[in-house]
Amino acid sequence: MALKAVHVSDVPSLDQVPENASVSLFSSRFSTGVEMNSNRGSFKIPKFLVVGHRGHGMNLLQSSDQRMKAYKENSIVSFNSAAKFPIDYIEFDVQVTKDDCPVIFHDNFILSEDNGSVFEKRVTELSLSEFLCYGPQKEPGKKGKTLLRKTKDGKIVNWNVETDDSLCTLQEAFQQVDPSLGFNIELKFDDHVVYQQDYLIRVLQAILKVVFEHAKDRPILFSSFQPDAALLVRKLQSVYPVFFLTNGGTEIFYDVRRNSLAEAIKVCLEGGLQGIVSEVKGVFRNPGAVSKIKEAKLSLLTYGKLNNVPEAVYMQYLMGIEGVIVDLVQEITESVTDMIKPPKVDEDGEKLNEGDGDREVKTKPEFSQKELSFLLKLIPELIQL
């Protein structure tokens, strides 16, 4: 593939960013927000964040849990469905087509069927028009190409969900999704491809162009598993925070920077990134890393299936983790609201005990410092290696 070199100077710099571009990390839906200065040390997340994974949640097409097939992931309908709940951000995956259009799609390859044969094409090798011809079409009466998906165990299944939607671009997300909802934009790259810097710059330039033109007051947070992409997007702009995504040691990669929380801290400190997004098991296996991340003045969010378990989310809150990316948006936002909400007080300013007042009584786990210390020692033994 021929790569076109693009100079860093071609990417919009701070003095080219529209005046109304948001520098707030925190959504105006639930807070006045905080400013992120270019000095990483002054960056701080003001509250426990809940982020909708690929919108209302990722699709697990072989799952018996219908909630995992309710809305087409990474779609406008999924994003706006998630926006109905008190979440702060939605997370989604952005790739760039061969004609430089940022589109929202998780998998590296798009699968379809024609005359009984299954074929796959790399998303980044499609033009925008080719990409959009898969799945439901916006134009009435027009039928798109069938959309299939390969599961982790290699099976190919129909991408059937309860509420389907067409594929979309990053620009459409900015234009059609509740403007108060923050965007966690994952810069998506293939784990098995070695990318040249000039190619990464071209891709990031295309994404930043759309962000700078359409973000307005919307909170934005960039993240990527690709360490060079994360470092580059931080160099190319200083308006929005950049987080390094890591499996936290739960998987091993050729690039050692991806293999532990210790390496993730190094990447962030050397590149001036603002935080880490780790697989939650990586944190639970190594809870001591949380204090090291805090000492480095980095923020910490997590992702993973355990984040769909309210007790696991509450445990992270107690550990000082600053937010979670979740699939079960309704269930977890309800649990977080109940578990983490400030105590209610009576007319005299006295704290109400459980069962007092006219509110619904719900219980939440409560731990002493000694019990919390014991749990932090126990959890790594409970997480399967």
Side-chain angles (χ1 to χ4, degrees):
M1 173 170 55
L3 300 178
K4 177 184 175 183
V6 177
H7 296 291
V8 173
S9 59
D10 292 332
V11 180
S13 59
L14 280 179
D15 59 1
Q16 295 172 289
V17 177
E19 291 182 1
N20 60 352
S22 173
V23 294
S24 171
L25 168 73
F26 193 51
S27 172
S28 59
R29 306 167 89 212
F30 311 110
S31 167
T32 56
V34 295
E35 288 190 349
M36 188 207 85
N37 296 324
S38 58
N39 176 5
R40 181 183 52 76
S42 65
F43 174 81
K44 183 174 176 59
I45 293 178
K47 68 177 279 286
F48 191 77
L49 301 180
V50 178
V51 181
H53 188 208
R54 305 182 200 171
H56 196 272
M58 68 180 292
N59 293 152
L60 292 179
L61 301 176
Q62 289 182 296
S63 173
S64 59
D65 189 341
Q66 291 302 312
R67 296 174 298 180
M68 306 304 292
K69 297 177 282 189
Y71 299 94
K72 170 71 75 58
E73 69 175 37
N74 279 334
S75 68
I76 301 296
V77 69
S78 181
F79 300 157
N80 282 323
S81 296
K84 296 175 183 177
F85 300 95
I87 61 172
D88 305 291
Y89 282 77
I90 51 171
E91 178 272 351
F92 52 76
D93 312 273
V94 173
Q95 303 184 59
V96 174
T97 61
K98 69 178 182 181
D99 49 353
D100 294 333
C101 182
V103 295
I104 300 177
F105 197 75
H106 174 269
D107 300 356
N108 297 313
F109 293 90
I110 197 164
L111 275 69
S112 188
E113 184 178 10
D114 187 25
N115 294 325
S117 298
V118 175
F119 61 90
E120 63 178 29
K121 293 187 177 180
R122 186 177 288 277
V123 171
T124 54
E125 294 178 355
L126 297 172
S127 67
L128 175 61
S129 60
E130 290 170 334
F131 172 77
L132 294 176
C133 75
Y134 293 92
Q137 299 295 292
K138 297 181 179 69
E139 185 179 332
K142 186 176 180 180
K143 187 176 181 181
K145 295 181 180 179
T146 59
L147 192 57
L148 309 177
R149 192 174 209 182
K150 184 180 292 186
T151 63
K152 284 192 174 182
D153 58 6
K155 293 181 180 178
I156 296 175
V157 297
N158 289 314
W159 203 321
N160 294 328
V161 291
E162 189 174 322
T163 303
D164 210 342
D165 198 12
S166 55
L167 302 181
C168 68
T169 66
L170 178 60
Q171 180 174 331
E172 287 173 327
F174 277 115
Q175 294 170 335
Q176 299 176 33
V177 176
D178 183 336
S180 66
L181 186 61
F183 282 179
N184 172 193
I185 300 174
E186 180 183 336
L187 309 168
K188 180 75 175 179
F189 295 93
D190 191 331
D191 291 339
H192 306 291
V193 174
V194 176
Y195 294 96
Q196 299 299 315
Q197 179 170 288
D198 53 356
Y199 175 78
L200 291 175
I201 290 175
R202 181 173 71 82
V203 167
L204 296 175
Q205 177 192 23
I207 295 170
L208 288 173
K209 183 175 186 295
V210 173
V211 171
F212 289 153
E213 289 178 355
H214 299 281
K216 299 180 180 178
D217 293 327
R218 189 187 301 274
I220 302 294
L221 186 159
F222 290 112
S223 62
S224 186
F225 283 105
Q226 220 291 344
D228 294 320
L231 294 170
L232 272 172
V233 79
R234 175 61 178 144
K235 287 181 179 179
L236 299 179
Q237 60 83 45
S238 58
V239 178
Y240 303 111
V242 181
F243 281 44
F244 181 45
L245 271 160
T246 177
N247 298 84
T250 60
E251 294 181 57
I252 300 301
F253 297 88
Y254 177 77
D255 190 331
V256 296
R257 294 174 295 178
R258 298 188 57 182
N259 290 341
S260 70
L261 287 169
E263 287 293 332
I265 293 172
K266 286 183 187 178
V267 170
C268 291
L269 293 180
E270 291 172 3
L273 308 188
Q274 283 75 31
I276 294 169
V277 184
S278 174
E279 217 291 346
V280 60
K281 287 185 179 180
V283 176
F284 279 163
R285 290 178 186 174
N286 184 17
V290 177
S291 60
K292 293 178 182 178
I293 291 169
K294 287 183 173 296
E295 288 169 6
K297 292 183 169 55
L298 298 170
S299 294
L300 176 61
L301 308 177
T302 67
Y303 72 94
K305 291 182 181 179
L306 279 175
N307 281 354
N308 295 320
V309 180
E311 292 77 10
V313 171
Y314 186 65
M315 189 68 197
Q316 293 177 71
Y317 170 71
L318 294 177
M319 293 169 66
I321 292 167
E322 291 155 286
V324 290
I325 299 174
V326 307
D327 293 301
L328 302 183
V329 169
Q330 179 176 352
E331 291 80 354
I332 298 303
T333 52
E334 288 175 353
S335 296
V336 167
T337 299
D338 178 56
M339 290 179 175
I340 301 175
K341 65 186 176 185
K344 289 197 173 183
V345 296
D346 60 21
E347 294 179 356
D348 298 321
E350 296 293 326
K351 180 179 176 181
L352 289 173
N353 295 318
E354 292 292 338
D356 292 339
D358 297 325
R359 61 190 176 93
E360 182 182 357
V361 178
K362 292 186 179 180
T363 60
K364 65 181 180 180
E366 292 188 3
F367 306 106
S368 68
Q369 194 60 43
K370 185 176 181 180
E371 289 170 331
L372 181 58
S373 177
F374 172 75
L375 285 171
L376 289 176
K377 293 177 181 178
L378 178 63
I379 283 174
E381 302 300 325
L382 298 178
I383 301 296
Q384 295 295 321
L385 295 176

